[in-house]
Amino acid sequence: DAGVTQSPTHLIKTRGQQVTLRCSPISGHKSVSWYQQVLGQGPQFIFQYYEKEERGRGNFPDRFSARQFPNYSSELNVNALLLGDSALYLCASSLQGQGNTEAFFGQGTRLTVV
Amino acid sequence: AQSVTQLGSHVSVSEGALVLLRCNYSSSVPPYLFWYVQYPNQGLQLLLKYTSAATLVKGINGFEAEFKKSETSFHLTKPSAHMSDAAEYFCAVSVRDSSARQLTFGSGTQLTVLP
């Protein structure tokens, strides 16, 4: 069975540009969450979507936005990129949206802003 | 709000020795607690989770953790380290009785296993 897939795996962007990251959850999973992991730190929660509705939002600026599609895949968009946005962006899917359900993580998208 | 503190950003043990990775949490409501492992250039893999059943939780690869409410701790142990255990380990907390599924992670502990 396919796990959580993220694309692209790596990308390099210039300051001020916009980027879109994509995530396909495990088949049957209805919840997708996004995390930012800066080098040397633990992942930080950005968004959670469940059944195409936003269920949670972390402490990130409005430059960060996301959406979930009818097939439960998701996109994370970041506008006006800053050097500090350089990080590994992780997508996690879970069967349901509650706090005790296991989250399965993808391998991430490594974003470098130059 | 919840938070997680992992004591020791780097831990080194000899192969065959006991592994002990420390995690303390803060939560205004009873939490769910998790340990994840991350190998280089990979995502996170769940080792084990505490969701209010037995306080001693057994996970994959011989790891286990004990939930101690009085100490607000959830330390991860393994009796005998293997070279393949070298990785970064993250403790995480999630709020119980929440309609959302937000994990709050600690800053991680890098485990080195010496031959």
Side-chain angles (χ1 to χ4, degrees):
Chain A
D1 288 338
V4 178
T5 58
Q6 293 186 242
S7 63
T9 55
H10 296 81
L11 75 166
I12 300 174
K13 290 286 188 178
T14 304
R15 277 178 297 175
Q17 285 187 316
Q18 176 265 343
V19 67
T20 298
L21 311 180
R22 295 176 176 82
C23 172
S24 293
I26 292 171
S27 177
H29 285 195
K30 299 180 179 180
S31 176
V32 169
S33 299
W34 288 95
Y35 291 82
Q36 180 196 65
Q37 186 178 18
V38 173
L39 195 63
Q41 298 182 18
Q44 297 286 319
F45 173 75
I46 310 175
F47 288 109
Q48 186 214 356
Y49 278 79
Y50 178 69
E51 288 280 19
K52 301 180 286 297
E53 293 186 357
E54 183 181 301
R55 281 288 186 89
R57 172 186 286 254
N59 187 25
F60 280 80
D62 291 343
R63 300 185 296 107
F64 289 77
S65 63
R67 55 180 175 170
Q68 187 176 35
F69 298 98
N71 67 353
Y72 302 111
S73 67
S74 178
E75 287 182 351
L76 175 70
N77 295 283
V78 186
N79 294 322
L81 285 167
L82 304 174
L83 294 179
D85 295 331
S86 295
L88 180 67
Y89 288 84
L90 295 165
C91 173
S93 79
S94 55
L95 195 59
Q96 298 176 351
Q98 286 72 37
N100 65 336
T101 54
E102 180 176 350
F104 294 82
F105 284 81
Q107 291 198 331
T109 294
R110 173 74 63 186
L111 172 64
T112 302
V113 182
V114 297
Chain B
Q2 63 270 19
S3 65
V4 173
T5 301
Q6 292 184 239
L7 297 175
S9 57
H10 292 83
V11 171
S12 294
V13 300
S14 298
E15 190 173 19
L18 172 71
V19 175
L20 171 61
L21 304 182
R22 300 179 186 274
C23 172
N24 288 89
Y25 70 90
S26 172
S27 178
S28 56
V29 297
Y32 298 119
L33 294 161
F34 307 81
W35 275 99
Y36 283 87
V37 62
Q38 186 176 36
Y39 296 98
N41 301 314
Q42 293 192 24
L44 302 171
Q45 180 184 11
L46 181 68
L47 283 175
L48 49 81
K49 64 179 181 180
Y50 167 76
T51 58
S52 83
T55 56
L56 182 62
V57 181
K58 294 188 183 298
I60 62 172
N61 301 338
F63 285 95
E64 62 182 36
E66 185 173 7
F67 172 69
K68 292 187 176 180
K69 183 178 178 180
S70 61
E71 298 178 7
T72 61
S73 69
F74 191 57
H75 301 332
L76 181 71
T77 61
K78 182 175 180 178
S80 177
H82 191 272
M83 297 297 287
S84 62
D85 295 327
E88 185 140 29
Y89 292 79
F90 292 96
C91 181
V93 62
S94 181
V95 175
R96 191 182 295 265
D97 298 328
S98 170
S99 61
R101 206 245 179 277
Q102 173 181 341
L103 288 167
T104 299
F105 287 87
S107 56
T109 297
Q110 181 68 47
L111 176 66
T112 299
V113 181
L114 305 171

